[in-house]
Amino acid sequence: MRATYSFTADWTLPAPVERVATVLVDLERYPEWWPQVRAVASLGPDTARVLCRSTLPYTLDLVLEAVSREPPLLEVRLGGDLEGRVRWQLEPAGPAGTRMRFAQDVEVGGPLALASYAARPLLAWNHARMMAGCRAGLSRRTA
C-alpha cells in the first residue's frame, strides 16, 4: 500500500539568491535554524541522513541525495520513510531578494500510507507546520 503527496509553496525572502542557496545546500546546519529538523548525518559528499519531526509524534527518517546544488535549481532525491524529490527554484526578486518555489512530490508506504487514508488532512497540516518552521528559520538565517 502506497500513498502520494505533492506540496508546493512560493516565498519571497529579503536575501540574495546566493545567500539563500548557500544556506539550503548546507544540510548539516539545518538543525541550527529549522526546528523540525532534529538531526543530520553526512553519509558522503552528496548524501545525508535527516531526522525530522513536526507537531505530530512521529519522526521521519530520510536519506537525501543531492541532484542539483546550483541555483536556480536545488534538488534532492528522498529515500527512507518518504520516496521522491524536493526542489527549490530560486530567482532574484527585487534589488536584493529571492523568490523561492518549493515543490515536493513523495510516496509513502507502511504505517504512513495506512495513516494517509484516515488522517491525510492531519498529515498535510503537520507538513505545513514543518514548512512554516523552515520559512521562519530560513528568514532569520539569511537575514
Side-chain angles (χ1 to χ4, degrees):
M1 176 184 305
R2 306 218 32 100
T4 61
Y5 287 86
S6 292
F7 300 102
T8 61
D10 285 317
W11 305 337
T12 301
L13 294 179
V17 168
E18 296 76 20
R19 175 74 178 132
V20 173
T22 297
V23 172
L24 287 174
V25 300
D26 189 4
L27 291 177
E28 291 185 57
R29 297 204 188 283
Y30 274 29
E32 295 174 9
W33 59 266
W34 192 345
Q36 293 82 7
V37 175
R38 303 300 173 97
V40 176
S42 176
L43 301 177
D46 293 324
T47 310
R49 183 174 180 201
V50 179
L51 300 178
C52 303
R53 185 175 183 147
S54 189
T55 305
L56 295 177
Y58 184 84
T59 300
L60 291 174
D61 188 351
L62 306 172
V63 175
L64 282 64
E65 182 182 350
V67 174
S68 173
R69 293 177 182 234
E70 296 296 324
L73 179 64
L74 309 178
E75 181 177 359
V76 296
R77 268 191 292 276
L78 295 175
D81 289 336
L82 304 177
E83 294 183 11
R85 68 180 182 169
V86 173
R87 288 182 169 173
W88 296 95
Q89 183 77 33
L90 307 177
E91 60 186 50
T98 299
R99 180 173 182 200
M100 305 173 57
R101 292 185 181 132
F102 168 81
Q104 179 180 5
D105 297 298
V106 296
E107 289 187 344
V108 296
L112 279 178
L114 187 57
S116 291
Y117 291 99
R120 190 174 194 86
L122 186 59
L123 294 173
W125 169 82
N126 195 58
H127 183 272
R129 301 274 301 162
M130 179 158 180
M131 295 311 294
C134 174
R135 184 177 187 174
L138 189 57
S139 292
R140 285 189 301 273
R141 189 68 168 204
T142 59

